[in-house]
Amino acid sequence: MSLIKIALAGEGGQGVQSVAEILAEAAYNENKQTIYIPNFGLEQRGGVSIAFIQVSDKRIGAPKFSKADVVVALSERAIGRTAGYSDMNTLFVYDSGFMVKPEELPREAKKIIGIPAVDTANRQLHPKVFNIIIMGTVIGLTNVVSFEAAKEALESKLAYKFEKNPDLRELNFKALAIGKEMAEQSLKEGVGSNA
Amino acid sequence: MPKIFEANKKAFITGNEAVAWAALAAGAEIMFGYPITPQNEVMHYWTRLAPEYGKGFLQTEDELSAGFTVCGAVQSGKKAFTATAGPGNVLMQEPFGMAEAMRLPLFAVIQQRGGPSSGTVVYSQQEVTLTTFGGNGEGHRIVYSTATHQEIFDYTIKGFNAAWKYRFPTFLLGDGYQAKMREPLEMYNPEERGIEMVKTYPLVGLEGKIGEDREPQHLCNIYSLEEELYEVVMKFAAEHEAISPELVEYEEKECEDAEIIILSHGVVSRAADDAVKILRAQGIKAGYFRPITLRPFPQKQLREAINRRPARKLLIAESAYGQLDRLTKQEIYGETVAIENLFMPGVGIIDYDIINKVKSIL
Amino acid sequence: MGMIAPAIPKSWYLPSKPHKFCPGCGHGIVLKALGETIDELGIQDQVVFGCDIGCSLLSWNFFACDSTQTHHGRTTPVMVGIKRSRPELITIGYMGDGGGYSIGSQHLLNSAVRNEKVTLILVNNTNYGMTGGQMAPTTLPGQKTETSPFGRDVDLTGYPTRGPEFIAELTPDSAYVARATVSKYKQLRRFLRNALRNQMEGNGFSFVEVLSTCPTNWRTNAQQTWHFLEEEMEQYFPIGEIKTPFGKGDK
Ligand SMILES: Cc1ncc(C[n+]2csc(CCOP(=O)(O)OP(=O)(O)O)c2C)c(N)n1
Ligand code: SF4
Ligand SMILES: [Mg+2]
């Protein structure tokens, strides 16, 4: 596997950093070289939270990057904030339910993909697993980790919650699977491209 | 010393966490600190580990106090340390100066952030001059600039040993990226790797009855005669120079036939390493040189690297406006290689930046 | 919570709104009260507002008043420098409990002893908010923070600093010293007015500590936040005017 660079961005409280951490952990558990760094500092307060993840078979260089292979914007504000990480090799993903001004979308992208993650979470699952759908989407788009490794990492991260409420396990795994399917579908069909 | 790890322990953690574990593995006994981003988590992890391992911690009222409490603790014979950044590093220059003047085995972790002043809390390499030369004095210090979490772990252990062996204040120079990012490393008990931990000993509070078993200790930090101070500083300088050959560490790659050598330190060297690989693949004869010790500086080794082919150009890349550049120029004074620079104060440098620069100057 | 007038203070700088404090943060209430007080006294053009490094730094462009951002703990001497050089200006230093009582404590102490004619407002939220919730001098006994993860142990780290009480001991009668809370808005307004009047009349040092909320680092919901403020903090730190040249004072 060559280097995969992923930027996840959203509002504080959307669990961007947790998702990034679980993904990075899963990659590490698969014995891949992995780096994960959050943006931090002042801009975090009231600003957009961004997670930078890199996974590779080989040693990874600089901890940050200027262009990503996959950018996922989990909020409307995050779109404008992350458009700059996109170039002609980037899959740029956002929620198809967002009200987006065309000029905010990246000027360059391999593909711009709208995914109904919020809607699917609200209707079929639970609003809280929205971010797990996104995690599934990233896996579907990149194969950065195997589905099994992702499940294991989720399990270990959320063990205490699953213990209290075993139904949550199914809910999370389902969200992960749905996210992955939506991603694979969108790659096949070009669904929502340039929405 | 009790074992911290059952066996070699692989981990996927932040650099700050790696510092806390390494300090524990090195047998550190007490930490003094004051909150500042991006070093906070060193304290956060240490405060969680401390009770379990019988270690001490005090959050002081500021960095002056944190630095001076470390000066006190090491005088009492304890393996003590602190961690800071940016304006905290500025304030600590007073206690670091005391450690320099009194040859105290102080160890501090510096996670550089942007400046001047409060600047940004995120990342930079702008504390090179401050950490290597500090305040009023001659910079008789030892400074390790790390690039990976494995090195953070290794050089924290080494740093404590260097401080106690040579009695020069010793620093691990990291940055906000290294502090906050997660990457894999292997943690270990130093003894199991054949690393002997240097024994600590008190400078005050010695055993024995004064007048019978021993003389009282009078530690001096001020001199009334210029000549006295001169003697002391000259002695320190001679000692610092004498130990430099055994302390100096560096990394060199592909310099044998290099037309251009990229010089960088710390986290930027990761990008330089990648850049050299890519440039070589494109047929450009680039080399890589990285001082690991910024103080003492591997000047002899850098001169040799430059003069192998010899290289036509030396490109100095750093996330600062010429701090490594100034340090290097004074260390290799007299070399005729053309020195170019890529100064990006306060922002990260990636392989792409370096490759572009190289192509623009070759 | 007290009454908050819906009108936006004239002395607010509108391009910097909405402000960047977390939802439920007390800083916004203190600054609102300060804005209204500046309006009421008609001193917008004479004020120099200085903020510390801490969450208070987010107020660097909060007011349409000349403002300066200082260093962590150093707002007091910067304000003293301005006041000593230009006594006609009205200097307002705005800082956190960490900035004021910890790293800047020597400045607070010495400027109080010298009875400097500045007004200082210190926001007590029992922790270091900006850096992610470490222990502050004001952290309550047993309170968990990032650097007191098992609760503040008073045997190891002492008792919470009672700033106004300590400053009252250091200052002459012409000083003004009070502790307010964001849960009593009208009283907060009155204390801020007195603290500014005291400087304007050239009497002496003026200091108001304000008990405030930090739901982000306390990890509390709205109800728990107000409970902690009113039932824990206000019990430990008595509200009132401790020293005032204006009559008997409000205990
Ligand atoms: C010399 C120095 N040391 C440390 C810091 C890091 N720092 C920034 S804000 C802060 C604490 C803020 O706490 P407080 O003053 O209580 O304000 P709050 O954020 O709670 O409002 C610290 C320690 C700094 N900026 N400068
Ligand atoms: S961290 Fe606390 S003090 Fe700072 S803005 Fe948020 S709630 Fe307010
Ligand atoms: Mg505070």
Side-chain angles (χ1 to χ4, degrees):
Chain A
M1 186 173 92
S2 59
L3 180 64
I4 298 179
K5 295 169 286 182
I6 303 166
L8 297 178
E11 304 299 314
Q14 276 189 314
V16 173
Q17 303 301 343
S18 319
V19 166
E21 215 176 298
I22 299 170
L23 263 176
E25 196 95 34
Y28 165 71
N29 289 338
E30 287 192 315
N31 282 324
K32 290 173 177 144
Q33 293 288 321
T34 313
I35 286 188
Y36 151 57
I37 184 169
N39 73 321
F40 59 97
L42 267 190
E43 58 174 19
Q44 237 178 348
R45 205 162 314 246
V48 170
S49 174
I50 310 179
F52 302 87
I53 308 165
Q54 298 183 77
V55 180
S56 177
D57 285 337
K58 294 197 215 75
R59 205 198 90 142
I60 300 170
K64 279 202 183 173
F65 44 79
S66 54
K67 302 293 172 194
D69 298 303
V70 176
V71 175
V72 186
L74 280 74
S75 73
E76 284 170 19
R77 281 205 305 175
I79 295 176
R81 182 72 178 74
T82 53
Y85 293 105
S86 183
D87 70 5
M88 72 257 192
N89 301 314
T90 307
L91 298 171
F92 190 93
V93 184
Y94 69 104
D95 193 284
S96 49
F98 293 164
M99 305 281 286
V100 192
K101 297 189 200 101
E103 68 269 20
E104 283 187 0
L105 286 170
R107 255 172 279 146
E108 278 191 317
K110 184 163 154 194
K111 195 167 204 173
I112 296 181
I113 301 170
I115 280 197
V118 173
D119 194 55
T120 309
N122 291 350
R123 279 169 199 260
Q124 297 181 24
L125 301 161
H126 188 279
K128 276 203 168 147
V129 295
F130 156 69
N131 54 13
I132 304 300
I133 296 184
I134 295 293
M135 184 175 153
T137 307
V138 173
I139 295 170
L141 293 175
T142 57
N143 285 319
V144 64
V145 296
S146 70
F147 194 68
E148 280 315 306
K151 272 168 77 175
E152 267 166 42
L154 258 180
E155 179 81 48
S156 78
K157 177 90 182 179
L158 300 177
Y160 69 103
K161 281 191 180 163
F162 291 173
E163 213 160 278
K164 266 196 243 153
N165 182 357
D167 292 347
L168 284 182
R169 181 180 286 110
E170 261 329 287
L171 189 67
N172 275 278
F173 289 173
K174 222 165 150 185
L176 198 66
I178 289 180
K180 184 166 181 277
E181 261 162 48
M182 288 201 298
E184 287 164 352
Q185 203 61 21
S186 74
L187 282 182
K188 258 187 242 149
E189 300 170 5
V191 172
S193 140
N194 278 320
Chain B
M1 205 171 75
K3 274 192 184 183
I4 303 297
F5 309 109
E6 274 312 315
N8 290 346
K9 187 176 162 39
K10 285 200 160 55
F12 182 60
I13 56 179
T14 64
N16 281 335
E17 203 174 339
V19 169
W21 279 110
L24 199 63
E29 293 162 280
I30 187 162
M31 176 185 187
F32 298 90
Y34 187 75
I36 191 160
T37 309
Q39 113 7 84
N40 288 313
E41 294 78 12
V42 177
M43 292 189 319
H44 297 178
Y45 288 111
W46 184 264
T47 52
R48 281 160 181 77
L49 295 172
E52 198 182 326
Y53 293 91
K55 307 291 181 179
F57 172 75
L58 180 67
Q59 181 179 315
T60 54
E61 65 276 20
D62 62 12
E63 287 87 352
L64 285 164
S65 178
F68 281 114
T69 41
V70 173
C71 288
V74 296
Q75 288 187 336
S76 82
K78 295 292 173 192
K79 206 178 267 185
F81 75 109
T82 186
T84 192
N89 190 14
V90 174
L91 290 181
M92 283 200 194
Q93 293 310 318
E94 192 189 346
F96 293 164
M98 170 167 163
E100 233 179 275
M102 302 182 77
R103 300 288 300 270
L104 302 178
L106 173 148
F107 179 67
V109 173
I110 310 293
Q111 302 286 30
Q112 300 169 91
R113 59 186 249 179
S117 187
S118 284
T120 74
V121 301
V122 183
Y123 160 83
S124 90
Q125 293 188 313
Q126 295 173 286
E127 294 172 48
V128 167
T129 306
L130 185 64
T131 308
T132 48
F133 288 97
N136 61 334
E138 307 295 342
H140 293 139
R141 303 166 167 214
I142 299 167
V143 180
Y144 295 105
S145 172
T146 57
T148 64
H149 285 15
Q150 192 61 56
E151 288 184 355
I152 290 180
F153 191 88
D154 298 347
Y155 284 96
T156 297
I157 291 169
K158 215 175 224 179
F160 277 108
N161 267 351
W164 282 90
K165 180 167 178 200
Y166 302 110
R167 300 261 308 259
F168 287 109
T170 304
F171 303 89
L172 184 124
L173 189 68
D175 58 64
Y177 287 169
Q178 296 189 64
K180 293 277 187 173
M181 76 183 193
R182 270 170 200 271
E183 80 171 350
L185 76 157
E186 193 172 83
M187 307 200 285
Y188 51 84
N189 303 308
E191 288 81 2
E192 285 164 18
R193 295 270 172 108
I195 301 168
E196 196 186 321
M197 293 312 295
V198 176
K199 287 228 158 37
T200 63
Y201 50 89
L203 309 176
V204 295
L206 308 188
E207 271 183 36
K209 209 168 154 41
I210 291 175
E212 286 176 24
D213 310 316
R214 67 173 180 100
E215 289 302 303
Q217 289 289 306
H218 298 122
L219 308 183
C220 175
N221 187 22
I222 190 163
Y223 305 91
S224 38
L225 295 178
E226 293 95 316
E227 290 76 8
E228 265 183 288
L229 179 72
Y230 170 83
E231 294 287 330
V232 169
V233 175
M234 291 306 280
K235 182 170 162 273
F236 290 179
E239 284 177 15
H240 195 265
E241 262 163 50
I243 60 169
S244 291
E246 61 190 82
L247 266 173
V248 149
E249 292 192 40
Y250 66 100
E251 233 180 30
E252 184 197 316
K253 293 180 193 172
E254 314 255 19
C255 286
E256 299 74 30
D257 63 342
E259 264 187 74
I260 179 163
I261 294 177
I262 296 155
L263 180 80
S264 60
H265 77 101
V267 82
V268 173
S269 63
R270 300 168 68 121
D273 192 11
D274 282 357
V276 167
K277 285 195 191 106
I278 296 167
L279 287 165
R280 284 270 165 182
Q282 295 173 0
I284 296 174
K285 293 210 161 92
Y288 162 100
F289 193 96
R290 167 195 169 212
I292 296 175
T293 47
L294 294 180
R295 192 90 175 115
F297 192 89
Q299 55 100 358
K300 188 168 144 274
Q301 292 80 358
L302 177 58
R303 285 176 196 268
E304 281 166 12
I306 292 169
N307 290 316
R308 283 231 172 88
R309 181 192 163 115
R312 281 200 294 123
K313 291 205 162 154
L314 182 68
L315 172 64
I316 301 183
E318 57 177 317
S319 297
Y321 198 78
Q323 303 199 17
L324 177 66
D325 182 78
R326 276 196 298 278
L327 184 61
T328 306
K329 282 175 179 161
Q330 80 187 25
E331 293 281 355
I332 62 164
Y333 179 74
E335 298 297 335
T336 53
V337 64
I339 297 182
E340 304 275 351
N341 62 60
L342 177 63
F343 296 160
M344 295 174 68
V347 294
I349 297 181
I350 58 173
D351 49 8
Y352 178 82
D353 301 318
I354 295 173
I355 292 165
N356 273 356
K357 182 72 193 184
V358 167
K359 290 187 174 166
S360 77
I361 58 176
L362 264 193
Chain C
M1 208 166 103
M3 280 193 298
I4 297 181
I8 292 171
K10 192 168 129 283
S11 56
W12 277 23
Y13 184 61
L14 296 180
S16 67
K17 306 296 171 294
H19 63 64
K20 295 206 168 59
F21 299 102
C22 308
C25 175
H27 272 289
I29 302 174
V30 184
L31 293 168
K32 167 125 184 156
L34 180 58
E36 288 178 1
T37 311
I38 292 171
D39 285 359
E40 181 192 342
L41 297 170
I43 54 176
Q44 181 181 3
D45 301 323
Q46 291 96 275
V47 162
V48 178
F49 177 82
C51 64
D52 212 73
I53 301 298
C55 288
S56 54
L57 74 82
L58 298 171
S59 67
W60 72 280
N61 60 354
F62 196 96
F63 296 108
C65 296
D66 291 343
S67 305
T68 178
Q69 202 175 41
T70 74
H71 265 204
H72 183 43
R74 315 300 174 198
T75 307
T76 302
V78 174
M79 293 297 106
V80 167
I82 292 172
K83 189 71 185 182
R84 287 265 174 171
S85 315
R86 299 270 305 273
E88 76 279 14
L89 298 174
I90 299 164
T91 51
I92 304 175
Y94 186 69
M95 63 194 73
D97 41 3
Y101 295 151
S102 197
I103 189 167
S105 55
Q106 58 173 336
H107 308 309
L108 194 58
L109 179 153
N110 286 294
S111 59
V113 167
R114 294 193 305 261
N115 203 27
E116 298 287 352
K117 315 277 184 295
V118 295
T119 300
L120 304 181
I121 302 165
L122 183 148
V123 173
N124 174 354
N125 56 12
T126 70
N127 80 95
Y128 283 32
M130 174 56 71
T131 40
Q134 296 82 6
M135 197 178 90
T138 46
T139 296
L140 295 180
Q143 188 181 340
K144 285 186 180 157
T145 69
E146 286 292 344
T147 48
S148 59
F150 309 103
R152 180 175 187 164
D153 179 346
V154 294
D155 289 337
L156 292 178
T157 59
Y159 285 89
T161 300
R162 287 194 168 97
E165 288 80 356
F166 147 84
I167 288 166
E169 292 294 320
L170 299 171
T171 43
D173 288 343
S174 57
Y176 177 84
V177 185
R179 182 184 285 113
T181 166
V182 295
S183 74
K184 298 191 174 63
Y185 189 78
K186 274 189 176 162
Q187 186 194 51
L188 168 63
R189 281 270 281 109
R190 194 166 63 250
F191 290 1
L192 292 178
R193 186 192 310 127
N194 286 343
L196 283 167
R197 259 182 68 199
N198 201 45
Q199 179 183 174
M200 290 158 72
E201 293 174 12
N203 293 336
F205 194 66
S206 307
F207 181 80
V208 182
E209 176 187 297
V210 188
L211 303 183
S212 179
T213 52
C214 180
T216 300
N217 289 306
W218 296 351
R219 305 205 168 88
T220 47
N221 63 28
Q223 199 193 349
Q224 293 162 331
T225 303
W226 286 97
H227 181 87
F228 187 75
L229 174 68
E230 295 182 327
E231 303 306 322
E232 309 266 341
M233 291 173 69
E234 290 177 19
Q235 300 313 312
Y236 199 94
F237 299 111
I239 306 300
E241 291 179 308
I242 296 167
K243 179 174 270 182
T244 170
F246 311 112
K248 265 182 32 211
D250 181 345
K251 298 284 169 186

